[in-house]
């Protein structure tokens, strides 16, 4: 029951925030690899919405592999919050973490007058709040 | 708890079999030449040129499909057509599977592969065999992982009616693996699953 990493992807598919919480659990990714994967995930999310056998669907929300799980929160503005966790992580827990990260994002990033929207996030306040959400002291 | 559809892909990345049960958006017939013959009577756009009209009853929900003069006659059911033609849909499914498998391979520490993914309206499960056959099934989003079911489908109906069938040409690039016994056996198997309906 562990959280491995968090990514924030802007509405164009570019990675704007990446944070790893444990050293093991996932293979180490260079920042270029992470950018490519985030773009791929953005595309995959769009296509999964089209494949629904019963009418309109959201994009994929959970992707499960054997050694990890990927939870995606799509906000109303097209920003994606992606949480990479161990396979045993509960759906409700991951969802609540994503919601709180979104709140921290709204407070620490969107309300920051020096932050250009859709650009990489460099904010100590946001980092601190995310750290507190994922690893409550 | 319902099961929507099943696709089987071979190692040449083509769809060799398709069957559906409860899909409310009917698959649009494929453009001719888009898919191989012998995948499914329900979505083949090819006409039966061997003289004589033929009608086949697909096991899904009693829809009667008459394949005769190149026109497919869908009854006016409540469901509408999906926006994509079948061959496009199949390519998208395969593309998604491939991209997700590559992504998982990149990110995981040890050998790992995609198990399933879920959206708000469906869940897609994948089972891959050693020979490169990929079994893909779409169910409602609350289903548990159906990997075991796909494995049983492989070891049961698939091995019996496709692999051990001397009339079936597997691994050809021009022919699917649709045959009556296999279709009936998978239908029985899927309907027998506890999560069907």
């Amino acid at each position: 029951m562990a959280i491995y990493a968090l990514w924030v992807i802007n509405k164009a598919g570019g990675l704007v925030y990446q944070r790893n919480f444990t050293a093991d659990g996932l293979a180490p990714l260079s920042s270029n690899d992470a950018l490519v994967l985030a773009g791929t995930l953005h595309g995959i999310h769009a296509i999964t919405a089209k494949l629904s056998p019963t009418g309109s669907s959201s994009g994929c929300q959970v992707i499960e592999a054997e050694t990890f799980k990927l939870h995606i929160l799509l906000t109303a503005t097209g920003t994606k919050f992606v949480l990479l966790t161990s396979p045993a992580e509960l759906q409700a827990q991951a969802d609540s973490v994503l919601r709180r990260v979104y709140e921290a994002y709204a407070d620490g990033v969107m309300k920051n007058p020096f932050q250009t929207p859709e650009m990489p996030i460099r904010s100590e306040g946001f980092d601190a709040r995310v750290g507190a959400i994922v690893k409550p002291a | 708890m319902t099961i929507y559809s099943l696709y089987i892909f071979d190692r040449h990345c083509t769809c060799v079999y398709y069957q559906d049960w409860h899909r409310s958006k009917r698959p649009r017939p494929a453009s001719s030449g888009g898919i191989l013959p012998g995948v499914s009577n329900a979505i083949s756009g090819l006409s039966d040129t061997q003289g004589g009209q033929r009608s086949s009853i697909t096991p899904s929900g009693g829809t009667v499909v008459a394949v005769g003069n190149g026109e497919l006659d869908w009854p006016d059911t409540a469901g509408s057509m999906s926006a994509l033609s079948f061959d496009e849909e199949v390519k998208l499914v395969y593309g998604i599977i491939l991209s997700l498998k590559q992504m998982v391979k990149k990110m995981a520490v040890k050998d790992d592969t995609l198990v399933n993914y879920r959206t708000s309206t469906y869940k897609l499960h994948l089972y891959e065999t050693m020979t490169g056959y990929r079994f893909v099934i779409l169910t409602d989003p609350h289903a548990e992982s159906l990997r075991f079911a796909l494995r049983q489908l492989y070891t049961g109906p698939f091995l019996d009616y496709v692999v051990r069938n001397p009339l079936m040409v597997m691994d050809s690039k021009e022919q699917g693996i649709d045959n009556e016994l296999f279709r009936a056996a998978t239908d029985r198997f899927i309907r027998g699953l506890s999560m069907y309906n």
Side-chain angles (χ1 to χ4, degrees):
Chain A
M1 305 266 279
I3 294 181
Y4 298 150
L6 169 75
W7 298 347
V8 180
I9 303 177
N10 68 20
K11 60 170 149 256
L15 185 66
V16 297
Y17 187 76
Q18 177 197 9
R19 176 103 170 250
N20 295 316
F21 298 105
T22 55
D24 56 351
L26 286 182
L29 287 175
S30 73
S31 49
N32 202 38
D33 284 344
L35 272 169
V36 169
L37 283 179
T40 313
L41 187 62
H42 177 83
I44 287 174
H45 187 268
I47 298 179
T48 49
K50 288 199 181 243
L51 288 179
S52 169
T54 52
S56 66
S57 155
S58 74
C60 53
Q61 293 165 334
V62 178
I63 296 174
E64 221 173 300
E66 283 164 10
T67 55
F68 67 90
K69 247 166 121 162
L70 229 147
H71 304 260
I72 303 174
L73 171 68
L74 175 73
T75 69
T77 49
T79 311
K80 279 190 265 298
F81 291 86
V82 180
L83 198 70
L84 294 130
T85 70
S86 64
E89 187 81 7
L90 296 168
Q91 182 61 34
Q93 251 182 327
D95 281 345
S96 103
V97 167
L98 281 172
R99 290 254 146 232
R100 283 184 286 153
V101 168
Y102 183 30
E103 269 181 53
Y105 173 85
D107 286 340
V109 176
M110 288 285 99
K111 292 176 189 167
N112 180 354
F114 301 113
Q115 168 75 30
T116 325
E118 315 298 315
M119 285 285 127
I121 298 169
R122 307 246 180 274
S123 156
E124 281 177 23
F126 182 61
D127 283 342
R129 275 187 70 170
V130 166
I133 290 169
V134 171
K135 286 188 240 224
Chain B
M1 291 287 180
T2 54
I3 300 203
Y4 296 125
S5 49
L6 167 73
Y7 301 77
I8 302 181
F9 296 92
D10 69 1
R11 70 188 179 110
H12 301 296
C13 315
T14 43
C15 178
V16 291
Y17 186 78
Y18 170 76
Q19 191 166 359
D20 63 27
W21 288 271
H22 282 289
R23 198 176 159 155
S24 50
K25 283 216 145 200
R26 305 304 314 156
R28 196 182 276 270
S31 46
S32 69
I35 53 160
L36 306 177
V39 172
S40 170
N41 277 339
I43 37 76
S44 164
L46 306 171
S47 63
D48 189 351
T49 51
Q50 259 116 19
Q53 312 257 330
R54 218 179 101 207
S55 69
S56 65
I57 299 182
T58 63
S60 53
T63 354
V64 176
V65 175
V67 178
N69 49 3
E71 299 290 317
L72 273 184
D73 233 15
W74 292 103
D76 290 327
T77 52
S80 51
M81 288 261 200
S82 79
L84 301 168
S85 77
F86 185 75
D87 56 334
E88 288 171 14
E89 184 184 299
V90 144
K91 283 188 197 136
L92 280 184
V93 172
Y94 191 76
I96 285 274
I97 302 283
L98 200 66
S99 309
L100 277 173
K101 276 160 59 83
Q102 282 175 344
M103 218 177 110
V104 166
K105 188 167 167 193
K106 194 100 208 233
M107 286 166 55
V109 174
K110 293 183 293 227
D111 282 336
D112 196 357
T113 182
L114 174 71
V115 174
N116 61 52
Y117 76 76
R118 174 176 70 77
T119 76
S120 60
T121 52
Y122 71 95
K123 195 168 187 182
L124 182 147
H125 310 253
L126 169 71
Y127 174 67
E128 183 167 1
T129 72
M130 293 282 155
T131 45
Y133 277 88
R134 299 178 168 113
F135 290 74
V136 175
I137 197 164
L138 273 73
T139 68
D140 76 292
H142 309 291
E144 299 290 310
S145 177
L146 273 182
R147 221 184 197 190
F148 78 96
L150 287 174
R151 185 160 199 277
Q152 284 176 336
L153 184 69
Y154 170 64
T155 55
F158 187 81
L159 280 186
D160 287 338
Y161 297 113
V162 178
V163 178
R164 295 187 182 135
N165 184 341
L167 300 174
M168 277 287 111
V169 183
M170 295 183 75
D171 214 36
S172 86
K173 298 197 194 154
E174 310 108 30
Q175 181 82 0
I177 56 171
D178 190 9
N179 76 52
E180 282 180 37
L181 286 172
F182 181 51
R183 195 162 280 274
T186 33
D187 193 49
R188 265 197 314 270
F189 176 75
I190 296 285
R191 284 179 200 265
L193 287 176
S194 58
M195 57 195 70
Y196 186 83
N197 254 357

